Amino acid sequence: MLKTTAHSMARTAVAAGLAALLMTGAATHAATAATATADDGLPNVTILATGGTIAGTGATSTTTVGYTAAKVGVDKLIEAVPELKKVANVKGEQVFQIASENMTNEHWLKLAKRVNELLAQKDVDGIVITHGTDTIEETAYFLNLTVKSTKPVVIVGAMRPSTAISADGPVNLYNAVTLAGSKDAVGKGVLVSLNDQINAGRDVTKTNTSTADTFRTPELGFLGYMQDNKAHFYRQVVRKHTAEAEFDISNLDSLPQVDIVYGYANNNRTALDALVKAGAKGIIHAGVGDGSLSNAMKPGLVDARKQGVVIVRSSRVGNGIVARNGEANDDELDFVASDTLNPQKARILLMLALTRTTDTKAIQKMFYTY
Ligand code: DAS
């Protein structure tokens, strides 16, 4: 007979509560949970909602694919988890409401500016961002490089919509708010927490299209776990982030165009040439193996470099170091090696690097720093 722990009973109750709330439409837009009096000893955590599955609804309680993301507002998300009041004074803001495959640089700039405004306030101790899972890893790294505070920023999502049996959103939100209010999360950089696990924003990636344990840090590992209403850390991040980062987006309304070309057997330079012609300022090459360049692609990258486009060699493999001067003579070609950043994260760092410099030696140093 399986022992039902209090925690799992809480998870089920919370999910059932949200499902009932949404299925019956009985939910009213209660005012966003007001913070309790300042002297209640609880941390003040602001939840910034952006959409995604955690705010999704399905036609039935067994719909876990083919549902609609980004339907439920932040007030309902908070209302559905009354346990939040036990761990923090929570306020909610709906920054935007999208499925995260539609995330744009403009969304990122708006979100980062709001995060920085809030974290500059003495009455905000931490921030939770509810987000679609498809691009969580990219938003996490973007904020890891642009948040100007050591206060916790935790990004959370869900792999099942809020109306599904055993929806994972409510308990993920509860854990994220607990983590964002934790003193142990201060100075750790942007964190991504789902499924009782804690990942670093720099290294986390989505590893499965649909399962609840999809977010991992392959090879380098989780930073820790959420268990028994507490954060348990076992690892530190060693790369610079947040308050130590040199990037300032406060006066930016756009970011330089950086695109990704994918390496594969029998590839060609057609897409690369089109992206350069369309005005890309940087290209990430997601090469095979250790960032290898095919004989068909290399001339296209050389031509792009001659037009002033900054080229970064990354790898489609997803783990390991892309070594400078390994599979290509980067010194001679004036290319940059991505170190361990996957293509989608290398794109973010190059975009921000290009807001400061086009000097490839300085940019290479940034890839070894962040
Ligand atoms: N489309 C997905 C997204 O918004 C749904 C999700 O997994 O959150 O990222």
Side-chain angles (χ1 to χ4, degrees):
M1 164 83 167
L2 266 183
K3 187 166 164 292
T4 306
T5 64
H7 185 55
S8 62
M9 285 170 74
R11 291 164 78 112
T12 312
V14 163
L18 180 59
L21 208 56
L22 294 161
M23 298 299 265
T24 61
T28 54
H29 269 271
T32 302
T35 56
T37 56
D39 63 358
D40 60 9
L42 291 176
N44 298 325
V45 173
T46 299
I47 297 174
L48 297 180
T50 72
T53 292
I54 193 168
T57 55
T60 73
S61 62
T62 53
T63 307
T64 54
V65 289
Y67 51 80
T68 308
K71 299 296 281 180
V72 177
V74 64
D75 292 348
K76 275 194 184 172
L77 294 179
I78 292 171
E79 204 174 290
V81 191
E83 291 80 358
L84 292 177
K85 294 187 184 66
K86 295 180 190 166
V87 295
N89 302 313
V90 169
K91 285 184 180 177
E93 289 183 18
Q94 192 78 41
V95 186
F96 40 80
Q97 180 78 289
I98 62 168
S100 76
E101 60 268 30
N102 298 319
M103 193 64 70
T104 64
N105 293 345
E106 289 66 37
H107 286 118
W108 278 342
L109 288 168
K110 179 177 183 182
L111 182 59
K113 288 172 183 174
R114 187 58 186 143
V115 167
N116 282 328
E117 278 170 3
L118 286 165
L119 290 180
Q121 295 173 202
K122 284 196 171 41
D123 62 347
V124 174
D125 299 309
I127 284 185
V128 166
I129 297 167
T130 58
H131 193 291
T133 60
D134 289 357
T135 57
I136 267 190
E137 66 194 80
E138 296 177 57
T139 300
Y141 191 46
F142 180 78
L143 294 175
N144 207 46
L145 298 171
T146 56
V147 165
K148 294 297 170 199
S149 170
T150 57
K151 293 178 182 177
V153 175
V154 180
I155 309 187
V156 63
M159 293 304 290
R160 299 188 195 101
S162 52
T163 46
I165 300 171
S166 300
D168 53 333
V171 67
N172 286 348
L173 181 58
Y174 175 78
N175 278 334
V177 169
T178 304
L179 180 58
S182 163
K183 289 186 171 44
D184 291 340
V186 171
K188 292 272 195 315
V190 172
L191 303 172
V192 174
S193 183
L194 287 79
N195 200 46
D196 301 338
Q197 295 149 342
I198 305 171
N199 285 285
R202 180 190 187 274
D203 307 314
V204 67
T205 190
K206 190 172 186 179
T207 63
N208 184 289
T209 56
S210 56
T211 56
D213 64 348
T214 182
F215 284 101
R216 303 199 167 238
T217 300
E219 297 190 351
L220 297 176
F222 298 124
L223 289 184
Y225 301 101
M226 292 305 295
Q227 191 179 82
D228 196 21
N229 312 311
K230 278 198 295 292
H232 303 263
F233 283 99
Y234 298 88
R235 229 168 39 80
Q236 288 282 9
V237 294
V238 296
R239 288 295 173 92
K240 282 191 176 182
H241 54 72
T242 58
E244 304 166 305
E246 64 193 276
F247 307 109
D248 178 5
I249 50 87
S250 57
N251 297 315
L252 295 181
D253 296 321
S254 65
L255 292 166
Q257 183 62 30
V258 174
D259 291 299
I260 301 172
V261 291
Y262 203 74
Y264 49 89
N266 197 37
N267 68 353
N268 58 68
R269 57 182 283 181
T270 307
L272 167 64
D273 291 345
L275 290 168
V276 172
K277 189 165 178 234
K281 297 288 181 274
I283 290 287
I284 307 295
H285 179 261
V288 295
D290 188 13
S292 307
L293 309 176
S294 68
N295 291 336
M297 183 66 81
K298 187 172 172 182
L301 293 168
V302 169
D303 289 348
R305 184 70 198 115
K306 283 178 184 155
Q307 294 175 59
V309 178
V310 176
I311 307 296
V312 175
R313 282 194 310 113
S314 182
S315 170
R316 71 180 199 182
V317 164
N319 288 299
I321 297 171
V322 173
R324 184 172 178 84
N325 296 324
E327 283 295 333
N329 189 333
D330 296 308
D331 290 348
E332 189 183 283
L333 296 165
D334 194 22
F335 290 175
V336 174
S338 72
D339 191 47
T340 60
L341 288 179
N342 67 26
Q344 55 270 31
K345 295 198 182 193
R347 171 182 171 270
I348 290 165
L349 180 52
L350 181 55
M351 254 189 334
L352 289 168
L354 290 173
T355 66
R356 293 181 61 78
T357 180
T358 54
D359 176 291
T360 50
K361 287 186 177 45
I363 294 173
Q364 181 66 77
K365 188 162 176 281
M366 292 176 184
F367 274 81
Y368 291 145
T369 303
Y370 298 107

